[in-house]
Amino acid sequence: MIKTRNRYVIASAGITLHLMIGGVYAWSVFTGPIVKQTGWAEASVSFAFSLAIFFLGMSVAFMGRLVEKFGPTSSVCYGLGVFLTEIAISNQQLWLLYLAYGVIGGLGLGAGYVTPVSTIIRWFPDKRGLATGLAIMGFGFAALLTGPIAQTLMASFGVSSTFYILGIFYFLVMIIAAQFIKKPRQNELPKAVIKKASHFSLTGQNMTANTAAIMVGILGLFNGAGFSVIPVYLGDVFSTRELGAIHGYVLTAWAAAGMVGPILLSYTHQILHNYFVTLVVFIVIDLLALIVSLALQRAFAGMQEQVNK
């Protein structure tokens, strides 16, 4: 008889993994010390973060099915990227910083972000919003933890050694957490849980990830802070069969925004010496996103009525 795994252990492992990769948002803590040690321009150092976010989105888009199949073990690339960042700083090699933190670290971020979410949704079909919200909360909460820890480490060991320490720590914790993040086997979920869950999919079980991407890509384009809502919404609309791949397509918009946004913001501030125009543009985009969301909600409601008939 196959032993049933505890789904709360899987959820805890997902939260732990997100706590590790969420440290990427503490990059601003490192920017000043790196500039001081290497003499690189601040914009050049900041670009490493943009590159990491870009490769996060692009990796899950083009490798979504592979990540979904083999699990989040490849997320350890983030720890490896952080470790190699120490070598880049020590040897003052800017190209290596981009390769280590931006490319390798970004690939690890992609694997570590999507897989826990899509897996947890499968374990909590009755509590999708709560489960994925907790996991993604770890991603956002990580910066709050990483900032003070990084400051303490840099004060004690220096900026280079801090990346060395964090890289090893991330690698070990993530590779252990990844071993627990597995999809539920057939008949492993309690019948009571399955009964409570809604299996309704507005588009049916046979929609491909490519087709779904066309329908939801526009939502990802205007995505701001709804990370915990997006995977649940996608699961409800397209089912969880290819959730990792579909979620990856949506995150390509986030990747593009992470790449272009900081550059555009710096450029407009340099010319206008304020952020007013940029903020107005963001407000207009958010309003367009609201209109698109309401239109899609009405369209899906109509589809649901037809199915119920």
Side-chain angles (χ1 to χ4, degrees):
M1 181 178 180
I2 300 176
K3 184 179 180 181
T4 301
R5 292 166 292 182
N6 189 316
R7 61 179 184 163
Y8 291 97
V9 173
I10 282 80
S12 299
I15 295 172
T16 300
L17 198 62
H18 272 205
L19 280 171
M20 299 299 104
I21 64 173
V24 67
Y25 280 120
W27 181 252
S28 59
V29 174
F30 300 108
T31 301
I34 292 175
V35 169
K36 185 176 181 180
Q37 179 168 328
T38 62
W40 295 333
E42 183 177 345
S44 299
V45 177
S46 298
F47 183 69
F49 169 80
S50 297
L51 203 59
I53 297 301
F54 175 78
F55 274 92
L56 185 163
M58 300 309 292
S59 64
V60 294
F62 293 103
M63 299 190 305
R65 288 187 178 87
L66 292 177
V67 173
E68 188 82 1
K69 181 178 180 181
F70 296 107
T73 304
S74 54
S75 62
V76 298
C77 286
Y78 179 64
L80 178 61
V82 173
F83 179 84
L84 292 175
T85 299
E86 186 273 336
I87 299 176
I89 295 173
S90 298
N91 293 277
Q92 298 196 10
Q93 297 293 327
L94 187 60
W95 69 268
L96 183 56
L97 175 68
Y98 294 155
L99 175 63
Y101 199 85
V103 179
I104 298 176
L107 293 174
L109 288 172
Y113 181 82
V114 173
T115 313
V117 174
S118 61
T119 302
I120 290 173
I121 284 180
R122 289 184 171 93
W123 279 99
F124 290 86
D126 55 330
K127 300 177 181 178
R128 292 181 179 180
L130 174 63
T132 57
L134 287 173
I136 297 175
M137 177 195 69
F139 188 72
F141 188 67
L144 183 63
L145 294 176
T146 305
I149 293 174
Q151 293 280 16
T152 302
L153 289 174
M154 286 188 291
S156 302
F157 304 102
V159 61
S160 297
S161 297
T162 296
F163 282 101
Y164 177 82
I165 295 169
L166 290 177
I168 293 177
F169 178 76
Y170 288 156
F171 186 91
L172 293 176
V173 173
M174 292 171 76
I175 201 168
I176 293 173
Q179 308 313 307
F180 292 91
I181 304 174
K182 308 292 183 183
K183 300 176 185 177
R185 297 182 289 263
Q186 188 175 6
N187 300 322
E188 189 169 9
L189 287 175
K191 292 182 179 180
V193 170
I194 298 175
K195 188 176 181 180
K196 289 181 181 179
S198 173
H199 296 282
F200 178 73
S201 172
L202 290 172
T203 58
Q205 296 287 336
N206 297 320
M207 172 169 284
T208 64
N210 290 333
T211 305
I214 297 174
M215 298 184 64
V216 300
I218 193 169
L219 293 178
L221 179 64
F222 299 117
N223 176 40
F227 290 121
S228 62
V229 177
I230 285 179
V232 180
Y233 175 73
L234 296 178
D236 287 342
V237 176
F238 305 109
S239 84
T240 59
R241 191 184 63 167
E242 295 189 70
L243 181 59
I246 296 172
H247 196 187
Y249 281 116
V250 174
L251 289 183
T252 58
W254 184 37
M259 189 77 168
V260 177
I263 298 174
L264 181 62
L265 190 64
S266 299
Y267 182 73
T268 57
H269 184 263
Q270 181 179 341
I271 295 176
L272 302 173
H273 303 292
N274 64 71
Y275 296 108
F276 178 77
V277 175
T278 305
L279 292 175
V280 170
V281 171
F282 287 165
I283 291 172
V284 172
I285 291 175
D286 287 338
L287 290 175
L288 289 175
L290 177 61
I291 294 172
V292 171
S293 298
L294 292 174
L296 286 176
Q297 183 183 32
R298 292 184 61 183
F300 289 141
M303 294 172 63
Q304 184 174 3
E305 290 179 1
Q306 293 179 2
V307 172
N308 292 335
K309 290 180 181 179

